[in-house]
Amino acid sequence: MRTALALCFILWGSLAHGQPLPIFDAHLHYSHDAWESVPVADVIAILRKAGVRRALVSSSGDDGQQRLYAAAPDLVIPELRPYRMRGEIGTWFRDESVIPYLEERLRKYRYAGIGEFHLYGADADLPVPRRMVELARRHKLFLHAHSDADAIERLFRQWPQARILWAHAGFEQPEVVADMLSKHRNLWADLAFRTDHGSSGKVDEAWRGVFLRFPDRFMVGTDTFTPERWHYVPGHAEWSRAWLSSLPHEVAERIAWKNGEALFGSAASQD
Amino acid sequence: MLAYQANPQISSFFAIDVAACAKTGPAPKSLKVDAHMPEHRHGMNYAPKVTALGPGRWRAEGLMLHMPGKWEFVFVVDGERMAHALQLSEGVRFSEPERQRILAHGPWPPSARRDPSNRVSGRPAAIALGERLFFEPRLSGSGSILCASCHVPFRAFQDGRARGFGLEEVERNTPSLFNVGLYRWYGWDGGHDSLWSQSIRPLLDAREMHATSAHVAATVRKHYSTEYESAFGRQPPASDEELLVDAGKALAAYQETLVSGRTPFDRFRDAMERADVEEMKTYPLAAQRGLKIFAGKGNCSVCHFGALFANGEFADVGVPFFVAPGKVDPGRAHGLEVLRKSRFNLLGRYNDDAARSTATGTRHVEPQHRNFGEWRVPSLRNVARTAPYMHNGSLATLRDVVKHYSELNEERLHADGEKILRRLDLSEAESEDLVTFLESLSQEPAARRE
């Protein structure tokens, strides 16, 4: 009986306004190793089936999300990743050739941001990341940083007006995330690949306080870091709707899709 | 006076740090280092290079002692010759943390234990009934498939195929049944939390034995009524499902007796525990070197932990898990769904243990995003007899498995995933040593090399 009641509660929360909560998935990759095993048409079908309203997609290399964007410009918002191959995660920030690559892509295509990139601590102040930040400033782009709090601080010191989407909320504890959001008005966080904020269809109490305090600063995301994980997008959307249903509906809507739409939606509609 | 520090091992280059001082006067100015075997009348095959580190301090690099036995280091300090004898043992030197990890892989076999969730666990009449049922084709819907069709006794209770094949081919490799009584989770995805509930699964799977609870119950009532009464102390119940569960419990009682034998590694491990150097020497040197990689830089024993060489949990080690175009096998993520929905899990009415003492994991396990594509860490006991490997049988030999970890595709692992999973970049010799060690985990007589 308890299980049935819980299920009813979840469904009621998800369908409170008649339809499953739309999802803005803020953390997707369509990298080179996925292009054959999960063709563009399959990706678009998966996203639509999952009820994803829009998707912030980056890939290594950049052709991936350009193919998706060409197929579904209403759905896909491209980000420019400073990796040509996924293996560059740990080397890109010392690789001078990254900058001409970014410049060439920025001349050719339109993006909502630069990222997701992996950058920790003092590496953020190396010449290549500095020049990347300068490019973001020049092109008025978001930075999508998979970083610790130290690197986030350094990025803001380089460009105090930067707008940063903090990937995985830095895998930090809720109180640290709250401190960072309080300190930086232009910092947002995605909750990809973490489960500590929601389990068994219920939001964690410590996180609840942070979500209620900063309802306009969070987004959800699946993180398709291997090709197979594209098939997890629907399951992740359902899982997200479940824990979001234990928040006030307006807050749940913001985190589920409205925050992403407000920040990045205009980038999708320009074309 | 002279002091030195070195960690020589057979056939490995090493350096030696030397400090010397004169009884009176300034520090010595020159040092030559060599090593030789007085009984063999030969020295090293390599000439070390000496570098001064400061007054009276040097480092000599490029030494290599290429065979076990009595060696002498020879130091010539400002023309004065000094010799220091050392016995280079045939064994590999293990650090204390490595030694502790190795000792944790035993003793073997473990003492027998009963499953409290199964009231007939360990009962001889139930074991006998379970063995009969294990080899009973009439349990299957077609009357043609038995448990032993896939769990073949002379193949270490697996089938040697990449993917199992009952009535149809399935997506996963058939695991060995040796030591299944020691597991926490069952199936590659951990969809079951007891051996008896896992034993029910293939009976009902349409691609494996394709039976129904009514069919299994009717078969037991018709052909095994007497044996059932001996095992369970009552006549077969009227409820088909209850009798299906009891059939699973009898099958489990039998499988709990499938314990693998002692191995060359076990003899080495026990000798190490009692500091029996002579017995330790009987363990092949290549296996010792492989063990050092396994318990040392390879970090293999972190997941392949303990006497079972398995920590009982789940991991994503970068094995692709597409099963067909557009279709994946989600692994642990699916297993948790199955577990929670199952009427036969340890939180359900068929658990014979009122205290639910073995249900802690089922009660507390919480789905994580990383579960998508995770598989149960398999035991390595008898591993040389259970090819092919991985959840989908995609690696044919132990060499392929070692190559997988040596050349691990880190791009398939999340940047914030398991930190110990990194490319091992093993040399060819190291890979062979690791394979030799893994082969030594098979019960004697030793398995043949492919």
Side-chain angles (χ1 to χ4, degrees):
Chain A
M1 178 62 90
R2 270 178 66 185
T3 307
L5 283 174
L7 188 61
C8 289
F9 179 69
I10 290 166
L11 288 173
W12 176 84
S14 300
L15 299 166
H17 291 249
Q19 293 291 320
L21 205 52
I23 295 291
F24 183 104
D25 196 312
H27 196 129
L28 290 165
H29 306 298
Y30 189 53
S31 295
H32 50 85
D33 51 354
W35 300 345
E36 198 172 310
S37 51
V38 196
V40 166
D42 289 9
V43 169
I44 302 302
I46 287 169
L47 290 171
R48 298 211 190 278
K49 181 184 166 195
V52 173
R53 182 189 176 102
R54 284 198 214 279
L56 191 59
V57 187
S58 63
S59 65
S60 325
D62 186 52
D63 285 346
Q65 77 260 8
Q66 296 303 340
R67 294 178 191 183
L68 293 182
Y69 183 63
D74 62 311
L75 181 62
V76 174
I77 302 173
E79 280 184 295
L80 176 56
R81 205 169 200 198
Y83 312 152
R84 289 143 293 193
M85 299 281 287
R86 277 221 316 266
E88 294 174 347
I89 279 176
T91 57
W92 73 273
F93 43 84
R94 295 182 193 278
D95 182 350
E96 295 282 339
S97 70
V98 163
I99 299 302
Y101 168 72
L102 294 177
E103 289 172 335
E104 182 253 323
R105 301 305 293 198
L106 287 167
R107 272 195 299 275
K108 204 167 174 184
Y109 299 108
R110 181 178 295 147
Y111 301 92
I114 295 181
E116 176 210 15
F117 53 80
H118 297 70
L119 193 62
Y120 304 95
D123 287 345
D125 286 330
L126 289 168
V128 171
R130 280 183 175 278
R131 290 171 64 193
M132 179 192 70
V133 171
E134 185 52 40
L135 281 174
R137 186 206 305 251
R138 199 185 312 156
H139 291 266
K140 299 183 173 59
L141 298 175
F142 257 82
L143 295 169
H144 193 174
H146 182 135
S147 297
D148 53 11
D150 182 20
I152 296 291
E153 296 284 9
R154 289 170 188 267
L155 292 171
F156 274 125
R157 277 201 290 275
Q158 289 173 36
W159 180 19
Q161 292 76 37
R163 292 174 301 158
I164 298 177
L165 178 57
W166 197 10
H168 315 284
F171 287 109
E172 285 288 3
Q173 294 299 306
E175 57 272 17
V176 176
V177 176
D179 285 348
M180 289 293 285
L181 293 176
S182 175
K183 191 171 172 185
H184 300 290
R185 295 185 62 178
N186 278 357
L187 180 65
W188 290 264
D190 79 49
L191 298 163
F193 204 62
R194 56 188 303 167
T195 46
D196 55 323
H197 55 287
S199 61
S200 302
K202 197 173 174 192
V203 70
D204 171 80
E205 277 311 304
W207 275 107
R208 174 190 291 277
V210 183
F211 293 144
L212 294 180
R213 186 175 162 201
F214 302 99
D216 53 352
R217 309 284 282 280
F218 288 96
M219 285 160 246
V220 297
T222 303
D223 196 353
T224 46
F225 62 91
T226 62
E228 289 93 332
R229 293 190 81 83
W230 275 101
H231 294 277
Y232 187 55
V233 171
H236 184 273
E238 277 307 303
W239 180 86
S240 300
R241 291 183 183 109
W243 71 262
L244 284 167
S245 70
S246 65
L247 286 171
H249 190 70
E250 280 187 15
V251 177
E253 276 190 319
R254 282 173 182 265
I255 295 172
W257 68 277
K258 284 187 172 175
N259 290 339
E261 192 68 26
L263 288 168
F264 300 106
S266 60
S269 61
Q270 283 177 6
D271 283 350
Chain B
M1 286 179 64
L2 179 140
Y4 67 90
Q5 188 170 22
N7 185 24
Q9 296 189 15
I10 299 169
S11 286
S12 293
F13 286 105
F14 65 98
I16 182 165
D17 290 326
V18 182
C21 60
K23 287 178 183 169
T24 57
K29 289 193 171 62
S30 70
L31 172 75
K32 287 183 181 174
V33 177
D34 201 352
H36 70 128
M37 300 186 83
E39 292 173 355
H40 293 235
R41 297 187 178 180
H42 67 65
M44 297 188 296
N45 298 329
Y46 302 89
K49 181 185 176 188
V50 177
T51 306
L53 301 178
R57 291 171 50 239
W58 299 270
R59 164 166 288 191
E61 293 175 299
L63 295 93
M64 196 245 268
L65 311 182
H66 56 282
M67 60 172 62
K70 289 179 181 172
W71 285 83
E72 269 186 1
F73 282 133
V74 178
F75 305 99
V76 182
V77 182
D78 282 354
E80 183 184 348
R81 185 179 187 279
M82 285 172 269
H84 286 249
L86 81 153
Q87 174 74 37
L88 195 57
S89 121
E90 289 187 25
V92 171
R93 289 189 183 188
F94 295 98
S95 68
E96 187 54 26
E98 289 166 352
R99 187 175 170 278
Q100 291 303 322
R101 284 181 176 184
I102 292 165
L103 293 178
H105 289 306
W108 191 265
S111 52
R113 71 179 191 193
R114 282 190 61 250
D115 174 4
S117 74
N118 178 0
R119 66 190 184 284
V120 297
S121 169
R123 192 179 292 178
I127 294 168
L129 172 60
E131 184 169 13
R132 295 281 303 277
L133 296 178
F134 192 82
F135 295 94
E136 175 54 86
R138 289 173 295 194
L139 279 182
S140 68
S142 65
S144 62
I145 302 292
L146 46 152
C147 303
S149 298
C150 296
H151 298 287
V152 185
F154 69 86
R155 289 187 184 275
F157 291 91
Q158 47 91 268
D159 56 9
R161 296 172 49 91
R163 296 177 176 192
F165 196 110
L167 287 166
E168 294 174 37
E169 189 175 60
V170 297
E171 280 99 12
R172 299 176 186 167
N173 178 255
T174 303
S176 168
L177 296 183
F178 273 123
N179 311 313
V180 283
L182 301 173
Y183 290 8
R184 179 183 307 126
W185 303 109
Y186 292 87
W188 281 104
D189 63 7
H192 295 270
D193 54 2
S194 71
L195 184 50
W196 55 267
S197 65
Q198 170 65 24
S199 300
I200 294 169
R201 190 203 59 74
L203 291 170
L204 304 182
D205 190 309
R207 294 179 300 171
E208 297 185 49
M209 296 178 77
H210 201 195
T212 61
S213 56
H215 175 81
V216 171
T219 305
V220 173
R221 284 191 196 103
K222 183 173 180 182
H223 301 287
Y224 294 99
S225 185
T226 306
E227 291 87 344
Y228 177 90
E229 196 166 343
S230 297
F232 287 88
R234 64 172 185 173
Q235 291 188 336
S239 161
D240 289 345
E241 184 168 284
E242 204 174 317
L243 191 46
L244 170 74
V245 170
D246 283 350
K249 287 177 177 173
L251 283 164
Y254 165 63
Q255 292 167 83
E256 285 166 3
T257 67
L258 305 177
V259 177
S260 62
R262 279 177 61 79
T263 69
F265 165 77
D266 293 316
R267 282 194 282 111
F268 175 79
R269 180 260 170 213
D270 293 353
M272 175 182 267
E273 187 170 46
R274 60 177 190 272
D276 183 344
V277 175
E278 288 307 308
E279 175 67 21
M280 287 170 72
K281 282 181 185 173
T282 65
Y283 190 50
L285 202 53
Q288 292 186 44
R289 290 193 299 263
L291 171 58
K292 187 172 176 67
I293 294 168
F294 187 88
K297 72 175 182 180
N299 275 317
C300 314
S301 57
V302 173
C303 294
H304 293 286
F305 173 79
L308 196 57
F309 286 86
N311 64 4
E313 290 299 316
F314 301 82
D316 173 1
V317 295
V319 178
F321 49 99
F322 279 108
V323 291
K327 189 179 175 197
V328 297
D329 184 347
R332 182 58 168 156
H334 179 252
L336 282 171
E337 288 178 23
V338 170
L339 176 76
R340 289 186 160 185
K341 287 178 187 167
S342 173
R343 292 195 306 283
F344 308 128
N345 73 32
L346 289 174
L347 301 177
R349 60 181 285 244
Y350 294 111
N351 184 344
D352 294 331
D353 175 20
R356 301 285 191 265
S357 58
T358 55
T360 308
T362 311
R363 193 176 295 117
H364 293 284
V365 68
E366 188 62 43
Q368 315 270 334
H369 298 312
R370 64 177 167 76
N371 295 147
F372 195 79
E374 282 190 324
W375 308 96
R376 200 188 64 204
V377 175
S379 169
L380 298 183
R381 288 199 171 266
N382 272 343
V383 68
R385 300 175 60 195
T386 61
Y389 303 103
M390 309 318 229
H391 75 275
N392 51 7
S394 55
L395 300 180
T397 68
L398 283 177
R399 281 183 186 79
D400 294 333
V401 176
V402 168
K403 186 168 184 277
H404 170 83
Y405 287 102
S406 183
E407 300 172 1
L408 190 68
N409 181 1
E410 294 179 21
E411 292 190 28
R412 283 198 58 89
L413 306 175
H414 195 268
D416 284 84
E418 180 55 73
K419 296 294 183 198
I420 63 163
L421 280 172
R422 291 292 173 260
R423 282 175 65 101
L424 295 181
D425 286 320
L426 300 175
S427 69
E428 201 168 312
E430 288 175 319
S431 297
E432 279 301 305
D433 289 344
L434 194 47
V435 169
T436 303
F437 162 67
L438 293 169
E439 288 175 335
S440 80
L441 298 176
S442 292
Q443 63 194 63
E444 295 164 309
R448 286 173 299 171
R449 299 283 290 269
E450 64 265 356

